[in-house]
Each structure stands twice: as structure tokens, then as C-alpha cells.
Amino acid sequence: MTPETVAAAAPTAAAAAATVSAPAPAAASVPAPEAAATALVDDPASHRVLTGDRPTGPLHLGHYFGTLHNRVRLHDQGVEMFVVVADYQVITDRDLADRLAEHTENLVLDYLAAGLDPERATIFAHSAVPALNQLLLPFLSLVSVAELNRNPTVKDEIAHSRQSAVSGLMFTYPVHQAADILFCKADLVPVGQDQLPHLEVARTVARRFNDRYPHADGSAVFPLPQALLSDAPMLLGTDGGKMSKSRGNAIALGASEDETARTIRGARTDADRRIGYDPVNRPEVAGLLQLAALCQDRAPEAVAEEIGDGGAAVLKRTVTESVNEYFRPLRARRAALAADRGHLRRVLRDGAERAGAVAEATLAEVREVMGSI
Ligand code: TRP
């Protein structure tokens, strides 16, 4: 089973009519990207969103088009939002969290630059919210070791891990992530495809907890969270593979225009001067076209058509200009905010305080239904 995703009625995000209705019907499989969600909801006040990122380095354009864009749109509609900087999750696949404070602050910087308003969005590091972490213990009792072993995202991360031995945290962090989501009773979770197995864990934990520990009146403690997939296709990096910081093929949100130009200049292409959109046979060229298309809000075929026989040089120039133009306002905001590290730390402190109050209330409820003293 995969988590229910919110199906869009229309193929483009611009078709604003698509709505999210809760509860959604159970979906049997992961929908094709075209069938994935828009980030527009019916009744914004009835939803609560939680998402997050690991503070391992700067966010890149794959994060932006994959989930950040969706978050900001939901936020702009007035949906209540929690954003977790998942600092304990950094040490799942490495021994030490390198430059943790710096990465944490920079993540906040990326969020604010992208348009999250810290007065309305609660941004916090999960290590700063003890009651959230305490939920991990009862939650771990609800899943089997066999289930933990089967998680495909965890398996993939183990395959790419920098460690010689796999830690207990690597197997159990999806349950910790369930605590990230359930502590605030979020019902919508904007994530990329790779996170769908984790959403399924959160749903399983919520369902089993509710069955095992109902309130005295029979009501359930936790809502079942739904994944909200981006309608943007997965963004490819400059080598034609998945865009990822660790593969060195990513363009950071906060990169300068020169850095962006340099990265794109180094991108892999092919020798065919005629530019066409063919993801199967020409993945590198298709990836670049897709990036320009997302920034221009056009179809990749139209971008290809315009470049015509211009070859890789014109393609790269087009992509560079599109990216730099699209991200210019965000990058200007980022530069202005970057000067005030105190502000970033205050955002995290306020966020931890607000998230802490919510987590305490949920933990009190959990303790009550479990019969704790
Ligand atoms: N695992 C997510 C990632 O690597 C980050 C994350 C942690 C998260 N907790 C979360 C995402 C809760 C969504 C909800 O990107």
C-alpha cells in the first residue's frame, strides 16, 4: 500500500479549480506525476500542513519545484503550517552532523526567502521539541521490525550511506518522522515521491494508535495524514540524474547568477544541434529543457521549439537566463535576510516554543489514552 495522495482534477497547477477534500478515497497505488496533487485546497482553515527537510546543506531547485513551491502556495492560501528542520535525521546515514547550526539557519533562510512568513508558519528544529521526540517510544511499539526492514527509501539510503554499519536510527527514523507529522495532527504533507513510504508509515502508526488507544468516547487521537505530491516532474540534475546535492549536479536556491551560469555551462548534453524534448533518448537535454520550462511556466516542447537548431550553447544560455530571472526576487530576499543571523535564530526559538506547546498537548492526550499516570 502507498499513501493516499490528493488527486488533481486538472493537469496543470494553474488550473486552480482542483481541490483537496478530506477524507480522500483510498488510492491503490502511487499516481503518475500528472495525476498528482495541486497545492490548492478547498477550505484552507480546515487543514494543517507539516513538512520538513534535513539540514545537510542548501536547498536546491529540485527541492523548490518538488515541495517548497507547494508549501508556499498552501501557506499563501492561509493553511496552517508547521515546518520541521529535521536535525536528528541528519545522523541516519553519517556519524556526525557537519556544521549543524549553520545548515539549520540556512534552511530557515531558504524558507523565508521562498516566502514563508514565520509569524504564520511555525518553523522549528525537532531536537528543540522534547515532547515530539517522546512520541517516538509508543509509536515504535506499533510497527514490526519486518515492516521497518521493507521501507524502500531506507533501503536506498543504506545503499548510498557513508557508514560501514547501519544504525538503529536508520531503520527507525521513518517512525520518528511519523512523530514529526502526528505531534501537530497534520493532515497534509507536501513531499517528493521518495517520501511516500514514510507517509505510509505515519498513516500506519496513526491508524494502529487510534485502534489500540481510542478516547473514552471512542473518538480517534490522530488524523490520517495525506501526502501532497508536486505536479512538477522530478527535476534532473546537470548530469541527467536525479538532482541531488550529494551527486554534485544541483543548483542551489541561493546560488549567485554566476554560479548558476557556471553549473549550467558544465551540464552534460549531446552532440545533436537540433534541440528536442525526448526524455527517454536524450535525458540530459530533456532535463535542461524541463528546468527552463518550469521557470518560464511553459511546456518543455515549446522551449525546445524556440531553440531549434541552436544546439547546446543556446540551450544552456536559455536555461541560465530562465533560472536567474525566475529566482532573482527570491535570491534578493535571501541576501537581505542572510545579514541578520540573530533573526534566523529567533525564528527557530519562537517556532520551537509554539511547536512545544502543541507537542505537550498531544503528548498529554497520548499519555491519557494510554493510561499513563
Ligand atoms: N525525510 C525528509 C527528507 O529527507 C525530511 C523530513 C523529516 C520530513 N521529517 C519530515 C518531511 C516530516 C515531511 C514530513 O526530505
Side-chain angles (χ1 to χ4, degrees), residues 12 39 49 57-58 75 96 109 126 139 253 257 260 264 285 288 327:
T12 64
V49 165
H75 180 64
L96 291 172
L109 187 54
H126 60 185
F139 286 1
L253 268 189
E257 300 204 354
T260 301
I264 293 170
V285 167
L288 288 169
F327 287 100

Side-chain angles (χ1 to χ4, degrees), residues 66-116:
T67 88
L68 197 49
H69 190 53
N70 258 353
R71 297 181 202 173
V72 173
R73 282 166 39 187
L74 287 163
H75 180 64
D76 288 347
Q77 277 185 87
V79 175
E80 190 179 7
M81 179 149 323
F82 287 77
V83 187
V84 61
V85 177
D87 50 359
Y88 278 139
Q89 231 181 67
V90 175
I91 44 174
T92 51
D93 65 350
R94 64 201 82 189
D95 293 342
L96 291 172
D98 178 43
R99 296 188 289 159
L100 189 57
E102 180 190 329
H103 288 323
T104 299
E105 287 172 18
N106 285 343
L107 207 46
V108 177
L109 187 54
D110 283 335
Y111 294 152
L112 302 188
L116 293 184

Side-chain angles (χ1 to χ4, degrees), residues 159-181:
H160 293 102
S161 157
R162 314 173 178 189
Q163 294 175 304
S164 52
V166 181
S167 74
L169 185 61
M170 176 59 104
F171 281 110
T172 52
Y173 89 81
V175 183
H176 191 211
Q177 186 159 325
D180 293 346
I181 295 167

Side-chain angles (χ1 to χ4, degrees), residues 50-54 84 86 89 177 180-181 189 191 195:
L50 178 125
T51 47
D53 299 281
R54 301 196 299 160
V84 61
Q89 231 181 67
Q177 186 159 325
D180 293 346
I181 295 167
V189 187
V191 284
Q195 297 294 304

Side-chain angles (χ1 to χ4, degrees), residues 94-286:
R94 64 201 82 189
D95 293 342
L96 291 172
D98 178 43
R99 296 188 289 159
L100 189 57
E102 180 190 329
H103 288 323
T104 299
E105 287 172 18
N106 285 343
L107 207 46
V108 177
L109 187 54
D110 283 335
Y111 294 152
L112 302 188
L116 293 184
D117 169 6
E119 296 290 321
R120 292 189 292 124
T122 300
I123 303 171
F124 65 99
H126 60 185
S127 70
V129 181
L132 180 163
N133 294 295
Q134 193 172 330
L135 292 174
L136 178 62
L137 293 172
F139 286 1
L140 277 173
S141 75
L142 300 168
V143 292
S144 71
V145 170
E147 284 172 317
L148 294 173
N149 256 317
R150 275 202 293 270
N151 187 306
T153 296
V154 170
K155 281 192 194 166
D156 188 59
E157 283 167 353
I158 289 170
H160 293 102
S161 157
R162 314 173 178 189
Q163 294 175 304
S164 52
V166 181
S167 74
L169 185 61
M170 176 59 104
F171 281 110
T172 52
Y173 89 81
V175 183
H176 191 211
Q177 186 159 325
D180 293 346
I181 295 167
L182 297 176
F183 93 90
C184 65
K185 305 191 179 180
D187 69 327
L188 292 178
V189 187
V191 284
Q193 285 275 354
D194 64 321
Q195 297 294 304
L196 292 181
H198 298 349
L199 248 295
E200 190 52 24
V201 172
R203 294 171 60 80
T204 299
V205 165
R207 199 181 304 113
R208 289 180 187 162
F209 188 94
N210 292 340
D211 283 352
R212 205 170 287 186
Y213 305 110
H215 276 300
D217 66 1
S219 63
V221 174
F222 295 111
L224 297 195
Q226 286 180 267
L228 194 57
L229 285 172
S230 168
D231 46 20
M234 189 175 79
L235 203 58
L236 297 181
T238 50
D239 58 357
K242 181 186 176 203
M243 188 177 282
S244 150
K245 192 171 10 77
S246 56
R247 297 180 202 209
N249 64 0
I251 301 166
L253 268 189
S256 70
E257 300 204 354
D258 284 349
E259 283 162 351
T260 301
R262 219 175 306 129
T263 309
I264 293 170
R265 214 177 301 127
R268 204 178 294 161
T269 51
D270 57 37
D272 190 345
R273 283 198 65 80
R274 174 94 203 151
I275 298 301
Y277 184 63
D278 181 354
V280 174
N281 297 307
R282 303 177 71 186
E284 297 93 352
V285 167

